[in-house]
Amino acid sequence: MTKAPTPTHPGYRGRFAPSPTGPLHLGSLLAALGSWLLARHHRGEWLVRMEDLDPPREIPGAADAQLRALAAFGLESDAPVLWQSTRGDAYRAALERLRGRGHAFDCHCSRADLADAGGIHRACVPGARREGPAVRFRVPPGSRVAFDDAIQGRFGQDVAAAVGDFVVRRADGPWAYQLAVVVDDAEQGITDVVRGADLLDSTPRQILLQRALGLPEPRYAHLPLVLDDDGRKLSKSLAGTPVDPADPLPALRAAWRLLGQPPRALDGAGAVDAALRLARAHFDPAAIPRMNAMPTPGVDP
Ligand code: GLU
């Protein structure tokens, strides 16, 4: 018998967008599970996008290992995975649109040229010249962006003062994350971006790009970051606590607790499928901690 498709609400499409820089760890599992639960709670779809934009930072095999780990946690994309390495034409077209509207320009300034301005670009340093310029998005003075984050509350940033003109294509070739994420969130019809709070202050840049490109602005929810014992973000490159796909339940329970959900709700689940069913039934978005960062929990007994 064919399984009936889960009815989904056309008003909600979420996503998880890892970079293949190492194994899936507790922090990324939290973002994956949090975005999946919110999507399911709203009867929406959940897509996976592989942000393989930056080959020097990537670890061979990491993308496939992350996808296998997600599958072991029962978290599988509702549509084929979108690989950013295949999306150059779309990024190029967006860049040309920005240029055509006067929002993007070639820039020969090096990091050293910008050191006196604290690394912030406001105007090109006269005479700065190097082969293969970067392309920057022009942020006029006074470009203030504010948005209502579903978890962090209202967040505002004066993008010109805090960030300045930012790179959309790097001098050494790769597309910048900020451009690629905006183009792909629109291409995939993402209505709700749920991710770690380390990206909260990137969001105003992304909103400026959406406005300049005439793209819809998704809703945003930034989950608290998990910090290691020294108070640093558990980054994939550090591989702080890689989760074990061969024994997914302990990490799944830890991520569930970090989302502020009642630990007992998953009692009795002996396998991932059962745990996710219980998680869907008991998930309360209002219980997600409204904080920017929180310490790693102790290991589950
Ligand atoms: N690729 C980013 C990361 O792994 C996430 C980007 C996003 O969710 O917008 O941290």
Side-chain angles (χ1 to χ4, degrees):
M1 203 175 82
T2 347
K3 209 169 117 194
T6 313
T8 56
H9 190 278
Y12 192 109
R13 189 180 281 163
R15 52 44 157 208
F16 174 58
S19 307
T21 48
L24 205 71
H25 60 85
L26 189 58
S28 32
L29 180 66
L30 182 74
L33 182 66
S35 58
W36 184 88
L37 282 168
L38 279 161
R40 292 303 187 240
H41 182 79
H42 291 98
R43 299 194 177 287
E45 294 172 324
W46 184 77
L47 309 186
V48 174
R49 174 164 76 232
M50 193 49 72
E51 299 211 321
D52 55 341
L53 273 180
D54 191 358
R57 285 188 55 234
E58 286 158 23
I59 295 185
D64 287 332
Q66 287 181 344
L67 294 175
R68 278 197 308 274
L70 285 172
F73 283 93
L75 306 174
E76 287 183 274
S77 183
D78 292 327
V81 173
L82 186 69
W83 295 75
Q84 289 196 322
S85 54
T86 66
R87 300 272 301 144
D89 288 349
Y91 307 145
R92 198 164 294 109
L95 186 61
E96 289 322 310
R97 249 176 26 242
L98 291 176
R99 277 191 206 275
R101 297 174 185 182
H103 290 300
F105 63 95
D106 284 353
C107 171
H108 289 271
C109 300
S110 63
R111 264 174 221 255
D113 293 327
L114 301 180
D116 287 349
I120 293 184
H121 189 282
R122 296 209 172 85
C124 282
V125 175
R129 206 77 214 151
R130 59 178 167 174
E131 261 181 55
V135 185
R136 287 182 189 271
F137 180 80
R138 193 183 306 284
V139 181
S143 299
R144 207 185 148 73
V145 173
F147 65 99
D148 290 306
D149 189 272
I151 296 169
Q152 305 292 331
R154 189 143 183 93
F155 182 81
Q157 185 184 62
D158 178 339
V159 186
V163 182
D165 303 325
F166 58 87
V167 171
V168 284
R169 182 165 203 176
R170 288 179 6 203
D172 57 343
W175 299 99
Y177 157 69
Q178 307 290 356
L179 180 69
V181 73
V182 158
V183 170
D184 288 343
D185 281 336
E187 165 71 22
Q188 293 187 289
I190 301 301
T191 61
D192 290 78
V193 171
V194 180
R195 59 188 176 192
D198 52 328
L199 290 165
L200 187 63
D201 65 0
S202 282
T203 306
R205 269 170 277 177
Q206 294 171 19
I207 292 174
L208 283 182
L209 282 171
Q210 285 151 3
R211 290 178 185 165
L213 288 165
L215 299 174
E217 185 181 319
R219 292 177 288 256
Y220 287 96
H222 286 85
L223 297 164
L225 286 185
V226 191
L227 303 180
D228 67 14
D229 293 339
D230 299 320
R232 292 174 311 211
K233 178 193 167 195
L234 285 188
S235 93
K236 276 169 293 238
S237 319
L238 278 177
T241 315
V243 291
D244 180 3
D247 182 20
L249 278 178
L252 202 60
R253 288 182 202 278
W256 171 253
R257 279 206 314 274
L258 284 165
L259 288 167
Q261 308 299 313
R264 307 290 313 258
L266 305 192
D267 279 1
V272 161
D273 281 5
L276 289 182
R277 258 198 313 279
L278 288 170
R280 274 176 80 154
H282 292 277
F283 178 60
D284 175 10
I288 297 173
R290 316 228 145 224
M291 46 171 75
N292 198 273
M294 57 197 173
T296 316
V299 178
D300 215 10

